[in-house]
Amino acid sequence: MLPIFDGIRDITTLSTTIRLLIAVLLGGLVGLERSYKNRSAGFRTHILVCVGACVASMTGIYLYLNMHLPTDISRMGAQIVSGLGFIGGGTIIVINNKKIKGLTTAAGLWTCGIIGLAIGAGFYEGAILCTALVLITQTVFSILGSKIPHNASFKILLQYNEKNALNIVMRYCKDQRMVISNLAATGKRDETMSVYSVILTVRPRKKVDFEKIKKYINDIQGVIEVEVISS
């Protein structure tokens, strides 16, 4: 531990003020990055979460050390960790094509609360290092993550009149190392005919040739019509 912080590890008026100011500073640093990227939870939200968690942590310690109450000093912090999941869940939304947005912001809010708990407990070194790592993750690693190649999911719109045709298509996807992430049945095209319609959402693990896939499925017995649509 750094000796520079030894004088403000006890719960006093001075240390309380310093801890809250540090919580504002560190929470604000994380929030600034989120605000810069126009995320739903930004500068003020992260500060409030960090300050609130800091006070909760100090309150647990104060009740035990100063008020001498028979309480578990970690209980209040544990409730904060659970409550942060509720707040973070509000930043997660599903946008077009069922893509999930806001997970990084939710994780950042949760981590910001943990930073506040660390500050309130007097673990300044851990809070400062964690803040630095969060900022590095959300900035530098964000750039690196965007450079990681990935193959986007695509959809297979299939109409068939033999139930075994769907099994063959699914087996083909598996043999080609493609993962079927969703299967939606859209009903029959004609009530007088046994024609079934499904939409397969497929996630490939390598670059695929849509025309080749379409041609293979089209040649399967029982397939009436097939369309391959990139997301």
Side-chain angles (χ1 to χ4, degrees):
M1 298 292 102
L2 297 176
I4 189 176
F5 294 118
D6 290 346
I8 52 174
R9 295 194 192 275
D10 294 330
I11 300 296
T12 63
T13 302
L14 176 61
S15 69
T16 299
T17 303
I18 292 176
R19 292 182 199 202
L20 290 175
L21 291 176
I22 293 175
V24 171
L25 174 63
L26 299 187
L29 287 174
V30 178
L32 274 176
E33 188 275 335
R34 292 288 89 187
S35 291
Y36 178 76
K37 293 185 177 179
N38 295 319
R39 297 299 186 260
S40 54
F43 182 66
R44 292 181 300 170
T45 304
H46 282 77
I47 289 178
L48 290 174
V49 167
C50 196
V51 169
C54 178
V55 172
S57 182
M58 286 191 294
T59 301
I61 298 173
Y62 179 83
L63 292 175
Y64 181 78
L65 296 180
N66 296 64
M67 302 298 292
H68 305 292
L69 295 178
T71 181
D72 183 358
I73 62 176
S74 64
R75 178 174 295 179
M76 190 168 293
Q79 297 304 314
I80 292 297
V81 173
S82 301
L84 288 172
F86 174 78
I87 297 175
T91 68
I92 301 174
I93 59 174
V94 180
I95 57 177
N96 296 333
N97 297 322
K98 296 184 179 180
K99 292 182 179 179
I100 299 175
K101 184 178 181 180
L103 284 174
T104 302
T105 300
L109 272 175
W110 184 85
T111 307
C112 201
I114 304 301
I115 291 171
L117 290 175
I119 296 170
F123 186 27
Y124 305 106
E125 296 87 349
I128 294 172
L129 288 173
C130 185
T131 301
L133 290 174
V134 168
L135 292 174
I136 291 172
T137 300
Q138 293 183 341
T139 54
V140 178
F141 287 179
S142 176
I143 298 173
L144 293 177
S146 63
K147 295 183 181 298
I148 297 176
H150 66 280
N151 298 298
S153 299
F154 63 93
K155 297 182 185 298
I156 299 176
L157 282 62
L158 181 66
Q159 286 188 345
Y160 58 99
N161 56 13
E162 292 187 16
K163 293 184 177 180
N164 192 49
L166 178 60
N167 295 331
I168 297 174
V169 171
M170 295 177 68
R171 192 180 307 118
Y172 171 74
C173 291
K174 182 179 179 181
D175 293 341
Q176 297 298 313
R177 297 176 58 80
M178 297 186 295
V179 178
I180 298 175
S181 57
N182 189 44
L183 189 154
T186 57
K188 297 181 179 180
R189 185 179 63 180
D190 191 334
E191 292 295 334
T192 63
M193 300 172 58
S194 296
V195 177
Y196 307 94
S197 300
V198 297
I199 300 176
L200 300 171
T201 302
V202 183
R203 187 175 68 252
R205 296 182 180 178
K206 59 182 180 179
K207 189 174 182 180
V208 294
D209 185 342
F210 292 153
E211 288 300 322
K212 181 180 178 181
I213 294 174
K214 182 177 180 179
K215 182 179 183 305
Y216 179 88
I217 296 177
N218 220 13
D219 292 338
I220 297 175
Q221 184 177 352
V223 173
I224 298 174
E225 186 178 354
V226 61
E227 287 292 335
V228 179
I229 303 175
S230 59
S231 299

